[in-house]
Amino acid sequence: MTTAESPKLTRKEFVSDQDVRWCPGCGDYAILAQVQKVMPEIGVARENTVFVSGIGCSSRFPYYMNTYGFHSIHGRATAIATGLKIARPELSVWVVTGDGDGLSIGGNHLIHILRRNLNVNILLFNNQIYGLTKGQFSPTSRLGLVTKSSPKGVIDNPFDAASLALGAEATFVARTVDVQAAHLQSVLRRAAEHRGTSFVEILQNCPVFNDGAFDDVTDRATIDEHQLLLEHGKPLIFGPGGDRGIRLDKNMEPEVVALNGANSEQLLVHDETNDALAYFLTRLERPRFPVPLGVLRAVQHPTYEDRVHEQIDALHGAADEKAFDALFASGDTWQVGQAK
Amino acid sequence: MVATIGAATTSAASAKRVEERSTVVIRFAGDSGDGMQLTGTQFTNESALAGNDIATLPDFPAEIRAPIGTLAGVSGYQLNFSSGRVFTPGDDPDVLVAMNPAALRVNLADLVDNGILIVDTDAFTKANVRKAGYDSDPLEDPSLERVSVFKIALTKLTSQALKELGLPNKTVVRCRNFFALGLCSWLFTRPTEETLNWIAEKFKKAPQLVEANTLVFKAGWNYGETTEAFHSSYTVAPATGIEPGTYTNMIGNKALAYGLMAGAAKADKRLFLGTYPITPATDILHELASHKELGVITFQAEDEIAGVCSALGASFGGAIGVTTSSGPGIALKSEAIGLGVMVELPLVVVNVQRGGPSTGLPTKTEQADLLQALFGRNGESPVAVVAPCTPTDCFMAGYEAVATAIRYMTPVIVLSDGYLANGAEPWSIPKFAELPSIEAKFWTQSQGFHPYLRNEDTLARPWVVPGTPGFEHRIGGIEKDYASGNISYDADNHERMSRVRASKIERIAEDIPPARVEGSDTGEVLVIGWGSTYGAITEAVAQLNAEGIATGHLHFRWLNPFPRGVGSILKRFKHVVVPEMNLGQLIRLIRDRFLVDARPITKIQGQPFKVRELVEPIRALVEASK
Ligand code: SF4
């Protein structure tokens, strides 16, 4: 993150004067609070921070941040952020989107910002439902989910946001949940640090239209069995007291094994730079396997905006009078009457 | 061979008679693979360098490579060059170069009586003749008696000229357009030095092609000079009545790209183009992409929507956001243009119109997107609209669009079209320093800021870019409160903001020249046009006045807002006629706004108006009302 030094800010300074208008109990509140908390730590001045969003419940986010903000149209935040970041590479640009905005109507722009690798942080609030339009299924809704637009159950196959991002060549992919403040914060910090597009899927509860969609992941009673907290260089261990792990069987299929002191060597070890492993982790089937949370992939590639400006800067040109007069007369020319 | 090209061009010591002509219309026609656009373009350059006034009409098929020899694959390039002023590519060609039977069939009917027809007899094989839909060899047809036919074994002569080089036959055949170019250059005593330089430059990566094309070009020239085929050649004197200055040959899309770049540079801002390739607008992308040395950023987006959205994002960041497209792409961009209206950021949207609806006629011209530009968005969504009149006017249209977008913090739509985009004419090269100044200051005043505070004169809101401390604010597509810029769903406020947005666009009329009539200032007929019909209407109006029908010409360059003073002009004429290359769009606005009984002249064939297509109905209207 490049920015001028600024005096230490506090959370409060990132809170705008606008009333927050999400439904009571919405997971968005928790996410907003953590983002506001992490911002001062990231250390970018408020004026150099821009939140861009599309349309949906999550897309109200910029109004609540006391930074620059652009609440745009459905699905297009990533495209607007792309233009902004190319024009102003020094800004810290954040996109807030949802499973409808980012994965359905804006799916095309999402995959392309990821493949280009602009240094933009994308927070995708995945609540597996359309909230703002009052409860239709989304591209991440589970098969069979009964909603207003699927009274007999959803028949569309959902896709996995993190798998999609990896397929689109994302250089940073992470997953976290709304209710786990510390984890959410650590992922946000990592996303901000990453140079390149950071894609963060945040599992978010919509208590009004899809309450409890992630209860199995977040329920205190079962949390250990259903979450796999990823740490770079550490084996894939989960369960109460870390009593089990994940390894590959002889068919290269994942399997859960109870740890007995002797078999921990056989466990897979997380490596954020290993593409195949990252994809493999996003394919672990729920509830047979736990949901991996944390940084799935983090690799360094050149950013798009750097390449744009390298090509321009390499020419050492100037858009001045001399350059334009030369340009205008660059074809064959002829005189009529007295030359001007 | 006796005469050589070098000698002849410097001394003009031709043994043959040289006849003077004031105006010539020539059309090169062949298969899309025959290089007719290249030939036409270079012949145009020669004519421009010869000091003639010029206007061109390239006309090519949508298919990159239609089946060879078919009617669908015929590509044409028409040029009108003159010792006087010309405003159109000419109604009908005096000279037709037909490289194959299909080209002959498509174009022969247009050739004037006693016109010159040059054909490559080698291309008139049985198979080609049949492919063109002829039952028998058309060159033997008595209908050709109305014109002077020059039957030349062009392909054979080309391969003779190249026999020393040992090139594959395919390459030899592809050189034959240079024979045609050389021959026509001789026939109209065009300067050839620049063409030889141009060949050397264009093919410099393939030295063999430089040699081959040079040889063939000279062979064509020498064929005219030395064989018995032609008894005389022609010359068209340098044009008079042209403003003094330094000129270059310019096409619309390039001029538009120059105008956008110059406008941004004058405003001391970075030009950001977010776009997606589409015919016939893509050349603007190509041109801008090749000027990174001027700091221009071109972003080829994943789709049309990302093109306009990225431009808007760049404008939010303080750049001049531009997006370029044609009708189908503009349809996709319309929601984002509406966002531009709502967030009030500078945005230039270029629509190089083509035949529609849907995919329509991608390579042909039309003016049927006017109502789309004005009204093709949800809600009351006023934007400024400017339509260049000629290929070179695309420069100032692009420049003024940038200036207006900044001054009024608004999207501006530039309505060019396929005819202007590819059409060429001489451009009086401006001096950058003499272009009107464009002031573009970001807001930094500390007092009483809110994002929708309005300038009293222009009603524009302040342009405050991220990175400016103390002015952090949020903009977006939801209605804003007039007094605070915060989100507002208040009923009265929405009405107030809707009216302010409309008034803001109306105020642009203060900056644009008032309506002005060309031709007769008062009288029988007022012809109202917009955009690329300028040239055809100008010539038609001149003819009608010469015939004694007092005719005026009012041309709308700005379509939103209208210029001031239109109402009083309308009162000075008995009839109002509105020619358009659509089914009647501007005419609705004229009738609605001024309550006059305007008559349409419409043409929707993918081709510009011929002058007589305007003169005849107007003459008939006047006769009928006598
Ligand atoms: S509808 Fe759901 S996601 Fe939207 S604000 Fe309400 S609780 Fe949150």
Side-chain angles (χ1 to χ4, degrees):
Chain A
M1 204 56 54
T2 56
T3 174
E5 279 298 312
S6 52
K8 258 271 163 266
L9 295 171
T10 63
R11 172 181 178 271
K12 267 203 353 240
E13 286 160 286
F14 281 91
V15 179
S16 81
D17 60 356
Q18 304 291 301
D19 296 334
V20 183
R21 291 192 190 173
W22 287 308
C23 307
C26 177
D28 292 0
Y29 283 97
I31 304 172
L32 176 64
Q34 299 321 317
V35 171
Q36 288 168 335
K37 201 159 182 185
V38 165
M39 278 294 140
E41 297 172 30
I42 290 168
V44 179
R46 285 189 300 128
E47 69 268 19
N48 291 328
T49 304
V50 187
F51 277 80
V52 184
S53 66
I55 294 292
C57 294
S58 60
S59 288
R60 292 301 181 90
F61 203 93
Y63 290 115
Y64 310 140
M65 294 296 298
N66 193 13
T67 62
Y68 280 91
F70 198 153
H71 175 215
S72 74
I73 44 177
H74 207 10
R76 317 302 169 202
T78 34
I80 287 174
T82 296
L84 175 63
K85 185 70 183 177
I86 298 171
R88 298 286 305 281
E90 77 280 14
L91 297 174
S92 170
V93 179
W94 297 72
V95 168
V96 178
T97 182
D99 43 315
D101 188 65
L103 297 175
S104 196
I105 194 167
N108 195 28
H109 311 309
L110 180 74
I111 58 174
H112 288 281
I113 193 174
L114 293 173
R115 89 175 156 86
R116 291 190 185 105
N117 196 35
L118 281 108
N119 188 12
V120 167
N121 307 305
I122 301 172
L123 311 181
L124 185 138
F125 300 7
N126 184 2
N127 57 16
Q128 301 187 342
I129 197 80
Y130 282 57
L132 193 66
T133 50
K134 300 201 166 85
Q136 300 77 28
F137 62 93
S138 89
T140 56
S141 295
R142 280 185 232 183
L143 269 177
L145 184 73
V146 173
T147 71
K148 283 188 200 148
S149 59
S150 59
K152 300 234 182 270
V154 166
I155 54 171
D156 299 34
N157 294 318
F159 58 17
D160 180 86
S163 294
L164 182 85
L166 289 166
E169 311 287 341
T171 54
F172 181 97
V173 179
R175 188 192 282 140
T176 183
V177 289
D178 52 3
V179 291
Q180 278 167 249
H183 192 264
L184 178 54
Q185 283 182 27
S186 73
V187 167
L188 289 173
R189 275 189 290 265
R190 285 290 308 276
E193 276 163 25
H194 177 73
R195 265 199 118 252
T197 312
S198 305
F199 179 80
V200 180
E201 179 191 14
I202 306 173
L203 307 181
Q204 174 243 326
N205 192 39
C206 167
V208 176
F209 295 110
N210 198 16
D211 195 24
F214 305 105
D215 272 1
D216 57 332
V217 188
T218 55
D219 190 355
R220 296 235 172 267
T222 53
I223 198 164
D224 294 339
E225 282 161 51
H226 294 295
Q227 286 192 4
L228 171 64
L229 295 172
L230 301 171
E231 270 185 87
H232 183 62
K234 298 275 171 63
L236 304 182
I237 293 176
F238 68 106
D243 66 350
R244 57 200 96 163
I246 296 172
R247 69 175 183 193
L248 293 179
D249 69 11
K250 55 185 187 306
N251 296 320
M252 301 295 280
E253 296 286 350
E255 67 176 349
V256 174
V257 286
L259 295 181
N260 56 19
N263 57 0
S264 60
E265 304 268 282
Q266 301 161 5
L267 298 181
L268 286 165
V269 175
H270 186 46
D271 177 355
E272 292 171 354
T273 65
N274 182 331
D275 269 8
L277 182 66
Y279 187 70
F280 167 91
L281 288 170
T282 65
R283 307 311 292 171
L284 291 176
E285 211 181 298
R286 191 174 147 199
R288 197 154 69 90
F289 291 97
V291 173
L293 297 178
V295 177
L296 291 150
R297 183 179 199 223
V299 293
Q300 282 305 314
H301 282 206
T303 68
Y304 182 82
E305 66 274 18
D306 279 354
R307 285 176 165 161
V308 167
H309 291 277
E310 273 160 24
Q311 286 193 347
I312 290 173
D313 296 345
L315 295 166
H316 302 292
D320 56 12
E321 185 185 340
K322 210 174 117 210
F324 274 96
D325 285 340
L327 172 74
F328 295 162
S330 57
D332 292 333
T333 63
W334 67 95
Q335 296 289 330
V336 173
Q338 292 284 297
K340 271 206 270 194
Chain B
M1 298 217 170
V2 200
T4 70
I5 187 165
T9 46
T10 48
S11 66
S14 174
K16 294 187 180 177
R17 193 153 44 98
V18 180
E19 291 177 26
E20 181 97 19
R21 287 274 185 281
S22 61
T23 295
V24 174
V25 177
I26 184 168
R27 188 185 293 174
F28 297 92
D31 200 67
S32 339
D34 284 342
M36 291 298 98
Q37 300 303 320
L38 199 73
T39 309
T41 305
Q42 193 50 31
F43 190 81
T44 300
N45 273 333
E46 291 177 359
S47 299
L49 289 170
N52 299 139
D53 198 8
I54 51 171
T56 71
L57 176 63
D59 184 19
F60 41 86
E63 293 76 18
I64 302 301
R65 283 280 180 274
I68 294 175
T70 59
L71 300 176
V74 173
S75 171
Y77 189 105
Q78 183 164 314
L79 163 69
N80 186 2
F81 57 108
S82 172
S83 57
R85 294 296 310 274
V86 295
F87 297 93
T88 74
D91 281 10
D92 308 303
D94 305 304
V95 183
L96 173 64
V97 178
M99 300 296 275
N100 69 8
L104 181 70
R105 191 176 168 110
V106 169
N107 294 289
L108 180 61
D110 295 338
L111 185 62
V112 299
D113 286 343
N114 301 318
I116 293 175
L117 172 66
I118 297 171
V119 291
D120 178 5
T121 50
D122 294 330
F124 283 68
T125 60
K126 270 220 175 73
N128 280 349
V129 164
R130 212 174 34 243
K131 251 193 257 175
Y134 287 115
D135 295 329
S136 58
D137 186 354
L139 298 180
E140 304 303 325
D141 198 274
S143 68
L144 285 189
E145 279 163 20
R146 70 175 185 95
V147 297
S148 321
V149 191
F150 294 89
K151 298 179 190 174
I152 303 172
L154 232 136
T155 309
K156 247 180 241 110
L157 290 163
T158 299
S159 72
Q160 262 169 35
L162 294 177
K163 62 176 182 291
E164 310 278 289
L165 298 190
L167 294 171
N169 192 43
K170 223 171 107 193
T171 312
V172 170
V173 171
R174 295 193 60 179
C175 291
R176 71 194 178 114
N177 57 326
F178 282 87
F179 194 97
L181 180 61
L183 176 60
C184 292
S185 299
W186 173 83
L187 191 59
F188 294 99
T189 32
R190 306 285 85 185
T192 54
E193 198 184 310
E194 259 79 12
T195 296
L196 294 171
N197 292 342
W198 168 78
I199 290 173
E201 177 61 29
K202 174 146 183 91
F203 300 101
K204 68 172 177 241
K205 291 212 179 95
Q208 225 182 14
L209 283 184
V210 174
E211 194 182 357
N213 287 326
T214 303
L215 280 171
V216 174
F217 177 79
K218 289 183 176 179
W221 197 94
N222 291 336
Y223 180 86
E225 175 67 18
T226 53
T227 68
E228 297 296 307
F230 294 89
H231 296 296
S232 55
S233 65
Y234 304 90
T235 173
V236 176
T240 52
I242 292 183
E243 286 282 303
T246 307
Y247 283 80
T248 190
N249 188 20
M250 185 53 69
I251 63 164
N253 271 349
K254 192 170 177 173
L256 190 43
Y258 281 14
L260 295 169
M261 286 193 285
K266 203 65 156 184
D268 198 20
K269 297 283 171 284
R270 194 190 277 286
L271 186 70
F272 177 99
L273 173 71
T275 191
Y276 189 79
I278 183 170
T279 304
T282 316
D283 284 337
I284 303 173
L285 163 63
H286 296 165
E287 187 64 37
L288 291 176
S290 67
H291 292 297
K292 297 194 196 316
E293 81 284 1
L294 297 173
V296 175
I297 295 176
T298 53
F299 171 61
Q300 183 178 313
E302 57 273 18
D303 60 25
E304 296 279 1
I305 297 172
V308 63
C309 285
S310 61
L312 208 48
S315 289
F316 181 54
I320 308 296
V322 176
T323 190
T324 50
S325 192
S326 188
I330 300 296
L332 287 166
K333 294 180 200 293
S334 50
E335 187 193 11
I337 298 171
L339 177 64
V341 170
M342 207 61 165
V343 296
E344 304 189 42
L345 282 169
L347 175 71
V348 177
V349 179
V350 176
N351 179 357
V352 184
Q353 300 166 94
R354 66 189 214 187
S358 187
T359 307
L361 308 175
T363 59
K364 308 291 178 189
T365 196
E366 202 162 286
Q367 291 185 304
D369 298 347
L370 174 60
L371 297 183
Q372 179 197 37
L374 290 167
F375 308 116
R377 289 165 297 284
N378 60 306
E380 294 292 349
S381 181
V383 298
V385 180
V386 61
C389 307
T390 66
T392 58
D393 186 39
C394 290
F395 175 79
M396 277 316 286
Y399 189 89
E400 288 168 33
V402 171
T404 306
I406 297 170
R407 182 162 154 79
Y408 291 88
M409 293 289 283
T410 177
V412 178
I413 295 182
V414 181
L415 276 181
S416 178
D417 63 29
Y419 167 65
L420 296 176
N422 296 308
E425 64 178 357
W427 183 45
S428 173
I429 299 174
K431 290 255 179 290
F432 182 76
E434 288 164 19
L435 293 169
S437 65
I438 300 178
E439 198 176 319
K441 287 220 178 73
F442 297 138
W443 174 276
T444 49
Q445 265 164 262
S446 54
Q447 226 98 72
F449 167 77
H450 79 75
Y452 283 80
L453 203 66
R454 293 190 186 274
N455 178 299
E456 277 176 23
D457 296 333
T458 61
L459 297 177
R461 75 173 192 90
W463 196 4
V464 195
V465 296
T468 323
F471 300 118
E472 292 81 10
H473 67 275
R474 276 64 55 191
I475 56 171
I478 299 180
E479 185 62 282
K480 297 297 184 296
D481 181 60
Y482 182 87
S484 71
N486 289 330
I487 288 180
S488 166
Y489 298 108
D490 181 79
D492 291 340
N493 179 71
H494 178 52
E495 171 134 8
R496 183 171 191 192
M497 289 295 271
S498 299
R499 291 189 184 282
V500 167
R501 286 186 289 265
S503 310
K504 186 172 79 163
I505 300 302
E506 281 306 318
R507 295 234 177 148
I508 298 171
E510 302 297 322
D511 288 359
I512 61 182
R516 192 175 67 88
V517 183
E518 295 176 20
S520 300
D521 203 42
T522 166
E524 285 283 329
V525 185
L526 178 69
V527 185
I528 304 182
W530 67 278
S532 74
T533 53
Y534 177 81
I537 296 174
T538 300
E539 287 198 9
V541 166
Q543 268 188 38
L544 289 162
N545 281 312
E547 288 176 21
I549 301 173
T551 311
H553 177 194
L554 174 58
H555 212 78
F556 283 15
R557 205 161 158 277
W558 285 89
L559 281 314
N560 203 26
F562 277 173
R564 286 161 296 152
V566 174
S568 62
I569 293 173
L570 291 170
K571 294 200 182 88
R572 305 205 294 262
F573 293 87
K574 219 149 86 194
H575 307 285
V576 175
V577 172
V578 185
E580 293 178 86
M581 294 189 291
N582 55 41
L583 293 180
Q585 298 199 1
L586 176 65
I587 193 169
R588 291 167 193 259
L589 307 175
I590 305 257
R591 286 177 171 182
D592 171 61
R593 183 81 78 86
F594 304 104
L595 298 173
V596 290
D597 181 21
R599 315 282 181 92
I601 300 178
T602 61
K603 176 178 184 180
I604 185 147
Q605 302 173 4
Q607 298 291 340
F609 278 108
K610 294 183 173 183
V611 175
R612 68 161 173 276
E613 290 168 343
L614 300 175
V615 170
E616 285 163 10
I618 292 172
R619 195 192 285 134
L621 171 72
V622 173
E623 307 263 288
S625 66
K626 263 184 189 155

